[in-house]
Amino acid sequence: MPEPTKKDEMSNGEKESVAPDSSEAPMPTPEISLEVSPPPPEQPVETEGKDPQPIEVIKPEPVENGSKEPEPEAVVVGAKEQVESVNSEVKEEAPSPCSPPPPATVKEEAEPVVTEVNQPPEPVVTVVTPPPPPPPPPEPVVTEVTQPPEPVVTVVTPPPPPPPEPVVTVQVTPPPPPAVWSLGEGQAPEDLDKPVDTPPLSSLLIERPQGGSITVGGDISFVAKVEAQDLLRKPTIKWFKGKWMDLASKTGKHLQLKETFDRRTKIHTFEMHIIKAKDNYAGNYRCEVTYKDKFDSCSFDLEVKELEQSQSVDIRSAFKRSSEGHEDAGDLDFSGLLKHRNQREPKQDETPEVDVWEILKSARPDQYEKIAFEYGITDLRGLLKRLKKTKKEEKKSEAFAKKLDPAYQVDKGGKIRLVVDLADPTVELKWYKNGQEIRPTPNQRKFIFEQKGTQRILVINNCGLNDDAAYSVAAGEEKCTTELFVKELPVKITKEIEAVKTTVNERIELECEVSEEGAQVKWCKNGVEVPTGPRSRYRVKSEGLKHWLIIDDASKEDTGTFSLMASGGTSEAKVQVELKPLKIIQDLQDMTVLLGQPLKMHCEIFPGNVPGRWYRNGQLIQSNDRINILQRAKNHRLEIVNSTIHDAGDYTFVPEGYTQSLCAKVHIVDPPRVHLESLNFPDNTVTIVAGNKLRVEIPISGEPAPRVVWMKGERVILDSGHRVRAETFSDYTSLTIDIAEKEDTGNYKIVLQNEAGEAGASIKVKVVDIPDPPEVPLVTEVGGDWCSMTWEPPIYDGGSPILGYFIERKKKQSSRWMRLNFDLNKETTFEPKKMIEGVPYEVRVFAVNAIGVSKPSEPSKAFVPLAVTSEPTMLVVDDVTDTTVTMKWRPPETIGAAGLDGYLVEYCIEGSDDWRVTNKELTEKTKYTITGLPPEAKILVRVRAINAAGASTPRTLQHSILVKEVIEPPKIRIPRHLKQTYTRKVGEAVNLVIPFMGKPRPKVSWLKEGQTVDPTQVTIRNTDCDSIIFIRKAERKHSGKYDMKVEVENHVDTAIIDIQIVDLPGPPQCVKIDEVWGGNVALDWTPPKDNGNAAITGYTIQKADKKTMEWYTCIEHYHRTCITITELVVGNEYFFRIYSENMVGLSEGATQTKDSALIVKEGMQLKNPEYIDHDFKEPPKFTQPLINTFAIAGYNATLNCSVRANPRPKVIWMKNKIAIIDDPRYRMFSNQGVCTLEIRKPSPYDGGMYSCKAINDLGDALVECKLEVKGGFTFSELMQRGVPLHLIDKYMSETKVVEQPEK
């Protein structure tokens, strides 16, 4: 707020403020009276100019350097302490701590107006309040206060322009009593100039709350309404008092917030009710509404009036509010006084009947409490504090003849002279600024010290805001102080804002020029500050003296009055934003769309980027998953993905802000359809049982509703039919047959027609009934307790497929039929069982369809069950000589009721069909020897079972028999697990069974390493077909190769069994420490002497700290004989021990190092030698070749070899140089370079040359072996299998040729 000043015109034209003459008497100590009254009306207002004098502001001198001596206190300063707590109510900007109270505004060009106020006996506080907005500077009003014995406090308020500046005296009322609930005091002064980040305004409020006024204790309501037509959810509303206090936390008995929603009008109503208002509820309120990115706000004022227009204030009422025990206890409540400055009418001074101050001054201290109680003064502590200040008497200065004035004022950039007159010119003088000594500097002309007689002058040039401070001068032990106020000149507007009239989407620039560069200005729209945050539409720019407000994309909401507010004035201009004329480039077109097809409506208008709304039959259309509303520049589109019947109607597009609209009609048509799929009838066939009622309802659709016609053949079915009729409704049509008959079966056609097209469909009606009975059944075959029967299906199946048949039987002499099957028989043949042999039976048949069971057929002819036995079983050759063949068999599985009389054996020479009976009489035995056969003849043999019913089916031997005695060579069949080394641990039992073949009984012998087996160590038992070797408790001496030999006359077969008895290994030898470096120890050892008869598979290394000797395992299953142990603890001393390990386990003992390894703290650094990387690539090389192998026919055989190569080779197995690929008889394995070929159950034909080939990028390698398949089948086995004799001879001869090289 601009402040007034007095200026002296110097001879050189420099403006300077000078202290008054020293002849003026010092000001007396002021006293404060609590009765505040306006000046008398007859006080004159002088308009004539007077000699310029500095502004006299009665103020105590500040105490510096910790001085406790009180100084005289001015009335204004006492008021200032209270005014600072309510700064926001008095002035727009917070003054500096040393600023004087703001006097009236001074206009530079006008003559000063001096107002002289004659003081009444009681003190009056002079306070100047600025008008609400900063108006143009009025005429300067200077208030000269002449100090009477008792100062008067006057409140001078300049009214807003254009009326002249009156001097208003306002009586200050006491503060109101404490309120139970408070709405706050508005925004803090330091927050007034802070920009508020507010989202862009939009028109959400359709009804805004209006300001109002009530009396204290009254009720008032404020209403805000928001239209929810375009909102998907409820908006958010907040009520504020001032700019920062949220009233949501203040709700209670004095404040209530209410929200309602009218579903019919779709309007949200928000209400704020203030109940029993108090005087501190007055102020500015704000309502903010937010929805997503939209924002709207409205400010309104509440005025609370007192019931009584004025009230006298005396000492008793002024001190009743002060808080006991607080820092401000005892001070005048200027906060309450200033709040009511606009609510009071000037009133004549009312002097209290009793002057309490005079009573207190003349009373003893022990009477203060009694006097305060008598006159109703509750704040006794504050009263005593004020009373103490009033009793101070000013001491007469001995060093100063004239002190500094209490305050000085100078314009910014001007010069000021501070003058003191010394009583003793020889006293040393020092000047201070804010307690810091001012020292002269030769290069600066800021402070100049002058001396003129007894006067000492401090000249301050080019005064700035930093010179606004407290100054003091010390002369010896005495000091006087003053305050210098630097006035900043108001910023004036030199170029007004020009009015703007434009259209939407255009750019608006409002330019204004002020009188000072870098001035702080504020842009407003309709009296509300324009938000300029990052999300705001408004941009503010300044350059030199010019200031711009820029709106890049103007909208219609930007219409209003824009103003720029500076400290020295305001400039306003109207901005009018109008819509561009609407031009319809392409109108909406009437459309006819098929149901389910996309609906696309398009229009084109100018100007572009004008939003709009789509309506259907007057209802607003919202976007969703099915409806898409698009706008691109001037093109507007409405797209509906799948149109429905409800999408038909009148469509309207309304551009936002225009009264014009675009209209079109949309007609949705749907071709007629017959929805047979909803019937869920297979093949659209409806089946009905004869005699029942049929009603078929078929859904139909079409827009408009189609016309329906039912037809059967060429006959139209009418809706007026008696038994058969057709009916049509809005969404379906029906066919009704009251009593279904066989003649109703057939195709029925439906025809639909409307303007969109024609459709048709047909259904088939099938009338079904039970079938006719089947034909008479025929018995084709009879058994002992069964028969086989067949029949023909019925001529008429009843219109439904025959599902099956039921069969019944009965004894001929009986009349009771018995059901033979409970599950339908699908075929026309059946075999009744569980009949009694010799008893005559009859059978009959029923046909069954989906409707029911037919009548029975005629009974069959009577039949008697009687059957022969089944064929004999297990016919084999028992023995063959040069003239005889012995056969044996087992009885038949089934023997009828007639029993079994015996067997008949027949034979014939191979190649002829002449079967000869060998036994003239039946034999009851199941073994028979055919004699008198020609030597080396080949015969076929068969056997029949005979009973009363006749001969059974013969059991014939599958292969011919060679009449010749045969010797069977011995064959040893080594089990698969014995083909490799048989391993057992010491102490375990060994029990091996090796089967063999041979005829007559072979002779078996065993040898171990060429020596006869000791029977006391190994037990051997032999039978006709196997040999058993048994060791009860194995020992390592039992290890070795055992040779088995089987002999039949001159035929011999041998086999080798390798037995390995293994034990735990011994400990390693000579474990020593090779090297110790850092935290590492290198160990070396030699393998154990005793490996336990098994290969050493690894080592286990353990370590122990010498202090604890607790062993810990470092590594297990280590294969090498040297190792480096790492990560040992520095400073510890270690011992190491090593266990050896084989397939049995770890050695019982371990070998420990003799010496210990000490890990020193500062060890040598081992330099690792550089090694050249070894190239491990190599071509394939077989480390273990294939070995010629003999296999036993029928037992799986394996071929093994090992190959080494890098990279990994590809392995190919071949038989007779032909690759084996995808043959299920072979399986191939490869693991860690070991290649295995497994031949499943080989036959003699699987023998041959097998080879394994390994290939990689560096080369290939090949190994071969010969596989021979021995054994197989004996002559008798081949005869039993029915192998022809010539094949048997060939096989036997090949076997002999293979055996001869072995011998």
Side-chain angles (χ1 to χ4, degrees):
M1 185 69 190
E3 300 175 352
T5 183
K6 289 186 177 181
K7 302 178 183 179
D8 291 335
E9 298 295 335
M10 306 296 294
S11 60
N12 55 0
E14 182 182 1
K15 297 180 181 180
E16 181 178 10
S17 298
V18 186
D21 296 335
S22 59
S23 59
E24 295 184 7
M27 300 185 68
T29 303
E31 293 186 1
I32 301 176
S33 174
L34 300 179
E35 180 68 17
V36 182
S37 62
E42 61 272 6
Q43 289 177 350
V45 178
E46 298 182 6
T47 58
E48 297 296 332
K50 295 184 178 181
D51 295 334
Q53 297 291 334
I55 298 177
E56 296 187 18
V57 179
I58 305 172
K59 187 178 181 71
E61 296 181 358
V63 178
E64 296 188 6
N65 300 328
S67 175
K68 296 182 179 179
E69 181 180 359
E71 298 295 338
E73 182 179 7
V75 174
V76 177
V77 176
K80 180 180 177 182
E81 296 176 1
Q82 297 291 333
V83 172
E84 287 178 352
S85 65
V86 287
N87 240 341
S88 61
E89 301 289 345
V90 178
K91 47 191 173 181
E92 288 187 19
E93 297 178 348
S96 59
C98 58
S99 301
T105 305
V106 178
K107 191 171 183 180
E108 294 182 357
E109 292 79 2
E111 291 294 326
V113 179
V114 179
T115 304
E116 180 177 354
V117 181
N118 295 327
Q119 306 296 340
E122 297 299 324
V124 177
V125 180
T126 302
V127 181
V128 179
T129 59
E139 294 292 327
V141 178
V142 179
T143 304
E144 179 178 355
V145 181
T146 59
Q147 186 64 39
E150 294 294 331
V152 178
V153 180
T154 305
V155 180
V156 181
T157 305
E165 294 74 13
V167 177
V168 182
T169 303
V170 178
Q171 183 176 2
V172 180
T173 61
V180 178
W181 172 82
S182 174
L183 291 178
E185 302 300 335
Q187 192 176 14
E190 60 270 12
D191 295 337
L192 289 174
D193 294 334
K194 293 183 180 178
V196 180
D197 291 339
T198 306
L201 295 178
S202 60
S203 56
L204 289 175
L205 292 170
I206 59 173
E207 181 177 334
R208 301 175 181 267
Q210 304 296 327
S213 62
I214 55 173
T215 58
V216 175
D219 299 343
I220 190 171
S221 297
F222 299 95
V223 180
K225 293 185 179 181
V226 178
E227 184 178 4
Q229 186 72 28
D230 300 334
L231 308 183
L232 300 180
R233 58 178 175 82
K234 186 182 75 173
T236 304
I237 189 167
K238 291 185 178 180
W239 299 85
F240 294 91
K241 181 179 181 185
K243 285 191 176 182
W244 59 273
M245 178 177 288
D246 190 351
L247 298 182
S249 60
K250 300 293 184 179
T251 55
K253 65 179 182 178
H254 291 280
L255 175 67
Q256 295 180 0
L257 304 179
K258 183 179 179 182
E259 300 179 3
T260 58
F261 178 67
D262 191 343
R263 296 184 179 277
R264 182 176 58 83
T265 60
K266 297 186 180 302
I267 292 178
H268 289 280
T269 302
F270 303 93
E271 302 179 22
M272 181 177 71
H273 303 284
I274 297 179
I275 304 169
K276 296 181 180 180
K278 300 181 182 301
D279 53 0
N280 61 340
Y281 292 3
N284 180 262
Y285 290 79
R286 189 172 78 258
C287 167
E288 291 185 358
V289 181
T290 307
Y291 175 76
K292 291 185 177 180
D293 56 345
K294 297 182 179 180
F295 173 80
D296 202 353
S297 66
C298 176
S299 299
F300 54 94
D301 296 323
L302 173 62
E303 181 182 3
V304 181
K305 299 180 179 179
E306 292 285 349
L307 295 176
E308 298 180 1
Q309 295 298 322
S310 62
Q311 183 178 356
S312 299
V313 180
D314 59 7
I315 182 174
R316 289 165 288 188
S317 61
F319 284 98
K320 283 184 180 180
R321 189 194 66 84
S322 179
S323 301
E324 195 68 33
H326 291 273
E327 293 181 358
D328 59 348
D331 293 338
L332 282 173
D333 184 15
F334 277 88
S335 175
L337 296 176
L338 294 175
K339 288 180 184 177
H340 301 287
R341 66 189 185 278
N342 295 329
Q343 302 176 10
R344 308 289 180 189
E345 293 292 337
K347 188 177 180 181
Q348 298 295 330
D349 178 31
E350 294 183 4
T351 306
E353 297 178 357
V354 180
D355 191 352
V356 182
W357 286 109
E358 296 296 333
I359 298 175
L360 291 173
K361 291 178 181 178
S362 61
R364 298 192 309 272
D366 58 346
Q367 297 178 345
Y368 290 161
E369 186 175 357
K370 179 179 179 181
I371 297 172
F373 177 77
E374 180 180 354
Y375 290 98
I377 298 175
T378 58
D379 192 1
L380 178 60
R381 183 178 177 181
L383 179 66
L384 296 178
K385 182 178 178 181
R386 286 295 181 185
L387 184 61
K388 183 179 179 181
K389 293 179 181 180
T390 59
K391 292 185 177 182
K392 301 290 182 179
E393 295 182 359
E394 184 180 5
K395 296 181 179 180
K396 185 175 181 181
S397 175
E398 297 179 357
F400 296 99
K402 178 184 178 184
K403 294 184 178 181
L404 293 174
D405 293 334
Y408 295 88
Q409 179 171 314
V410 66
D411 290 340
K412 180 180 178 182
K415 182 171 73 173
I416 186 69
R417 302 177 70 225
L418 304 180
V419 182
V420 294
D421 199 351
L422 299 178
D424 183 5
T426 63
V427 176
E428 183 181 2
L429 194 72
K430 293 184 180 180
W431 293 88
Y432 296 89
K433 175 183 178 182
N434 289 336
Q436 298 293 328
E437 183 179 358
I438 303 175
R439 299 180 181 274
T441 54
N443 298 329
Q444 294 184 1
R445 302 292 295 174
K446 181 69 175 179
F447 299 99
I448 300 175
F449 300 92
E450 297 180 357
Q451 181 175 352
K452 185 182 298 183
T454 59
Q455 290 185 346
R456 301 295 184 266
I457 304 171
L458 171 65
V459 181
I460 304 175
N461 295 314
N462 193 19
C463 292
L465 295 179
N466 56 344
D467 295 323
D468 190 301
Y471 292 84
S472 61
V473 57
E477 297 297 331
E478 292 191 28
K479 183 185 293 185
C480 65
T481 62
T482 187
E483 286 195 22
L484 175 63
F485 299 97
V486 180
K487 174 187 174 184
E488 188 174 4
L489 297 178
V491 178
K492 297 183 179 181
I493 296 175
T494 59
K495 182 180 179 181
E496 300 288 337
I497 307 174
E498 297 181 359
V500 176
K501 183 175 182 182
T502 184
T503 57
V504 294
N505 302 329
E506 297 295 335
R507 176 185 173 94
I508 299 177
E509 286 192 8
L510 300 179
E511 180 181 352
C512 185
E513 189 173 336
V514 297
S515 60
E516 183 178 341
E517 291 187 7
Q520 296 293 330
V521 299
K522 182 169 67 174
W523 289 91
C524 298
K525 175 187 175 183
N526 297 330
V528 179
E529 184 177 356
V530 173
T532 58
R535 298 176 54 187
S536 176
R537 298 175 52 254
Y538 303 95
R539 292 191 298 112
V540 173
K541 185 177 70 172
S542 62
E543 181 179 342
L545 301 177
K546 295 184 179 181
H547 293 260
W548 291 271
L549 176 64
I550 302 173
I551 307 175
D552 290 326
D553 190 5
S555 62
K556 195 172 181 181
E557 289 74 13
D558 295 326
T559 300
T561 301
F562 286 81
S563 60
L564 181 135
M565 300 177 64
S567 59
T570 303
S571 176
E572 294 184 354
K574 290 187 177 181
V575 175
Q576 183 176 358
V577 181
E578 298 179 351
L579 295 173
K580 297 180 181 180
L582 181 65
K583 179 180 179 182
I584 300 176
I585 301 175
Q586 181 178 346
D587 202 350
L588 294 178
Q589 303 295 329
D590 294 343
M591 301 178 67
T592 300
V593 182
L594 292 177
L595 183 67
Q597 296 298 318
L599 171 61
K600 296 182 179 180
M601 304 190 71
H602 170 259
C603 66
E604 188 175 347
I605 61 174
F606 181 83
N609 298 327
V610 175
R613 297 184 180 182
W614 292 85
Y615 296 87
R616 178 176 59 241
N617 298 329
Q619 297 292 329
L620 180 65
I621 302 175
Q622 299 285 353
S623 296
N624 53 35
D625 295 340
R626 195 175 64 88
I627 301 176
N628 189 17
I629 298 177
L630 303 175
Q631 177 187 357
R632 291 183 180 177
K634 55 187 177 181
N635 294 311
H636 297 263
R637 299 177 63 88
L638 173 64
E639 297 181 355
I640 301 177
V641 179
N642 297 318
S643 59
T644 63
I645 296 298
H646 304 289
D647 293 329
D650 295 333
Y651 283 77
T652 305
F653 175 75
V654 180
E656 185 174 334
Y658 294 91
T659 58
Q660 295 176 265
S661 61
L662 291 75
C663 302
K665 289 187 176 182
V666 174
H667 184 48
I668 305 297
V669 297
D670 185 17
R673 295 186 184 89
V674 181
H675 303 281
L676 293 178
E677 64 276 2
S678 61
L679 299 178
N680 294 326
F681 291 149
D683 299 331
N684 296 331
T685 301
V686 182
T687 303
I688 184 67
V689 179
N692 293 344
K693 181 178 180 180
L694 172 66
R695 179 178 176 85
V696 181
E697 294 182 355
I698 301 176
I700 61 174
S701 63
E703 182 65 26
R707 186 173 64 90
V708 183
V709 177
W710 282 83
M711 299 178 66
K712 182 184 180 184
E714 300 297 331
R715 181 171 60 89
V716 177
I717 301 175
L718 304 177
D719 56 357
S720 59
H722 177 62
R723 189 176 64 85
V724 181
R725 61 185 178 274
E727 298 175 296
T728 301
F729 300 91
S730 60
D731 56 348
Y732 70 92
T733 180
S734 65
L735 172 66
T736 305
I737 303 176
D738 290 335
I739 301 175
E741 298 177 355
K742 183 178 180 180
E743 292 76 12
D744 295 329
T745 300
N747 290 327
Y748 291 79
K749 186 177 181 182
I750 314 168
V751 179
L752 282 70
Q753 292 180 344
N754 69 357
E755 65 181 50
E758 180 177 341
S762 62
I763 63 171
K764 183 178 181 181
V765 176
K766 187 177 182 181
V767 181
V768 296
D769 202 352
I770 60 174
D772 292 342
E775 299 293 330
V776 179
L778 177 64
V779 179
T780 58
E781 187 177 358
V782 178
D785 62 346
W786 60 276
C787 72
S788 179
M789 57 182 292
T790 183
W791 63 92
E792 294 294 331
I795 299 175
Y796 175 63
D797 60 0
S800 178
I802 299 297
L803 302 179
Y805 301 90
F806 287 123
I807 297 95
E808 294 182 350
R809 79 179 181 198
K810 77 177 182 66
K811 297 178 182 178
K812 186 175 182 181
Q813 296 81 6
S814 176
S815 60
R816 185 174 65 87
W817 291 89
M818 183 178 66
R819 178 71 59 84
L820 299 181
N821 63 319
F822 293 96
D823 294 331
L824 290 177
N825 183 42
K826 306 293 184 181
E827 306 296 334
T828 57
T829 59
F830 189 74
E831 290 187 359
K833 296 180 180 180
K834 297 182 182 181
M835 293 186 290
I836 303 174
E837 292 185 82
V839 177
Y841 288 90
E842 293 180 349
V843 292
R844 68 180 183 180
V845 183
F846 295 84
V848 181
N849 65 0
I851 308 306
V853 182
S854 70
K855 295 180 180 180
S857 66
E858 294 295 330
S860 66
K861 293 181 180 181
F863 60 94
V864 179
L866 187 63
V868 297
T869 64
S870 62
E871 60 184 10
T873 60
M874 301 294 292
L875 178 61
V876 295
V877 177
D878 186 55
D879 193 13
V880 179
T881 65
D882 291 339
T883 58
T884 64
V885 173
T886 301
M887 307 294 297
K888 63 180 180 180
W889 62 89
R890 289 187 179 182
E893 293 180 355
T894 303
I895 300 176
L900 178 62
D901 296 338
Y903 300 95
L904 185 64
V905 181
E906 299 175 318
Y907 78 94
C908 72
I909 304 298
E910 184 181 14
S912 67
D913 294 332
D914 184 13
W915 291 95
R916 302 175 187 177
V917 179
T918 61
N919 55 331
K920 301 300 181 181
E921 295 181 0
L922 297 179
T923 178
E924 296 180 357
K925 297 180 180 180
T926 58
K927 185 176 182 180
Y928 186 78
T929 301
I930 304 174
T931 59
L933 296 175
E936 297 186 2
K938 293 182 180 181
I939 65 172
L940 297 175
V941 181
R942 70 183 183 182
V943 180
R944 294 175 183 268
I946 308 299
N947 69 355
S952 69
T953 304
R955 166 67 70 178
T956 305
L957 194 64
Q958 295 182 359
H959 305 286
S960 62
I961 303 171
L962 178 63
V963 184
K964 181 180 179 181
E965 188 172 0
V966 178
I967 297 175
E968 183 178 351
K971 298 293 180 183
I972 301 175
R973 297 181 177 178
I974 301 176
R976 183 184 304 174
H977 66 282
L978 296 180
K979 292 181 179 180
Q980 299 176 354
T981 301
Y982 182 75
T983 305
R984 278 292 179 270
K985 296 180 182 179
V986 172
E988 294 182 349
V990 178
N991 189 8
L992 304 179
V993 179
I994 297 92
F996 57 82
M997 298 173 57
K999 190 178 180 181
R1001 179 175 178 175
K1003 180 182 177 182
V1004 181
S1005 62
W1006 286 88
L1007 297 176
K1008 177 186 177 185
E1009 305 293 345
Q1011 302 295 328
T1012 304
V1013 177
D1014 186 0
T1016 61
Q1017 298 292 331
V1018 180
T1019 302
I1020 297 176
R1021 291 178 295 177
N1022 298 321
T1023 64
D1024 294 342
C1025 60
D1026 57 28
S1027 180
I1028 301 174
I1029 179 170
F1030 177 74
I1031 304 173
R1032 186 174 301 276
K1033 190 174 181 180
E1035 298 179 2
R1036 290 178 63 177
K1037 62 182 180 180
H1038 294 146
S1039 300
K1041 294 185 178 180
Y1042 291 77
D1043 298 330
M1044 179 182 178
K1045 184 178 181 181
V1046 180
E1047 296 178 322
V1048 176
E1049 294 183 355
N1050 296 328
H1051 301 281
V1052 179
D1053 194 10
T1054 61
I1056 299 176
I1057 306 299
D1058 188 4
I1059 299 177
Q1060 182 182 9
I1061 308 301
V1062 296
D1063 198 358
L1064 294 174
Q1069 303 181 67
C1070 189
V1071 179
K1072 61 180 180 179
I1073 298 175
D1074 283 350
E1075 188 178 359
V1076 179
W1077 74 96
N1080 308 312
V1081 174
L1083 301 178
D1084 192 5
W1085 65 91
T1086 58
K1089 292 182 179 181
D1090 182 12
N1091 62 359
N1093 202 23
I1096 298 298
T1097 59
Y1099 299 91
T1100 299
I1101 298 94
Q1102 295 182 345
K1103 67 179 179 180
D1105 190 359
K1106 186 177 180 180
K1107 299 177 183 179
T1108 61
M1109 288 308 292
E1110 295 181 359
W1111 293 96
Y1112 298 95
T1113 300
C1114 299
I1115 188 169
E1116 296 178 324
H1117 313 302
Y1118 187 73
H1119 298 286
R1120 302 175 63 185
T1121 58
C1122 60
I1123 190 173
T1124 300
I1125 306 300
T1126 61
E1127 298 182 359
L1128 298 176
V1129 179
V1130 176
N1132 290 358
E1133 190 171 357
Y1134 292 91
F1135 286 96
F1136 300 90
R1137 68 181 181 185
I1138 302 176
Y1139 292 86
S1140 58
E1141 181 181 3
N1142 64 4
M1143 62 183 297
V1144 181
L1146 292 175
S1147 61
E1148 294 181 353
T1151 303
Q1152 182 177 331
T1153 57
K1154 295 180 180 180
D1155 302 326
S1156 61
L1158 176 62
I1159 309 302
V1160 297
K1161 294 184 178 180
E1162 294 181 1
M1164 295 185 298
Q1165 294 183 354
L1166 177 63
K1167 294 184 178 179
N1168 295 325
E1170 296 183 359
Y1171 297 99
I1172 300 175
D1173 293 338
H1174 178 68
D1175 186 7
F1176 289 95
K1177 293 185 178 180
E1178 59 177 329
K1181 179 182 179 182
F1182 284 93
T1183 59
Q1184 179 65 36
L1186 294 174
I1187 302 175
N1188 295 337
T1189 306
F1190 296 95
I1192 303 300
Y1195 292 89
N1196 291 357
T1198 58
L1199 301 178
N1200 299 291
C1201 63
S1202 62
V1203 65
R1204 184 178 67 216
N1206 188 12
R1208 184 176 178 180
K1210 177 181 179 183
V1211 179
I1212 302 174
W1213 286 92
M1214 294 178 288
K1215 177 186 177 184
N1216 297 329
K1217 298 185 179 181
I1218 298 176
I1220 301 173
I1221 301 175
D1222 298 334
D1223 193 332
R1225 294 183 302 154
Y1226 299 92
R1227 287 201 304 173
M1228 306 172 192
F1229 306 95
S1230 178
N1231 186 14
Q1232 301 295 328
V1234 179
C1235 305
T1236 304
L1237 174 66
E1238 181 181 359
I1239 308 171
R1240 296 183 177 181
K1241 296 181 179 182
S1243 64
Y1245 306 104
D1246 292 322
M1249 294 297 294
Y1250 285 82
S1251 57
C1252 179
K1253 188 175 183 180
I1255 305 173
N1256 69 1
D1257 296 338
L1258 303 179
D1260 56 11
L1262 178 70
V1263 291
E1264 295 181 342
C1265 73
K1266 182 178 181 181
L1267 174 66
E1268 296 182 6
V1269 182
K1270 295 183 179 181
F1273 303 100
T1274 62
F1275 179 81
S1276 60
E1277 289 178 343
L1278 294 175
M1279 293 293 291
Q1280 291 176 5
R1281 291 176 177 267
V1283 179
L1285 289 177
H1286 67 282
L1287 295 178
I1288 296 177
D1289 292 340
K1290 181 179 179 181
Y1291 171 70
M1292 301 302 285
S1293 60
E1294 290 177 354
T1295 305
K1296 291 179 180 180
V1297 172
V1298 173
E1299 291 176 352
Q1300 287 177 359
E1302 296 180 0
K1303 296 180 180 179

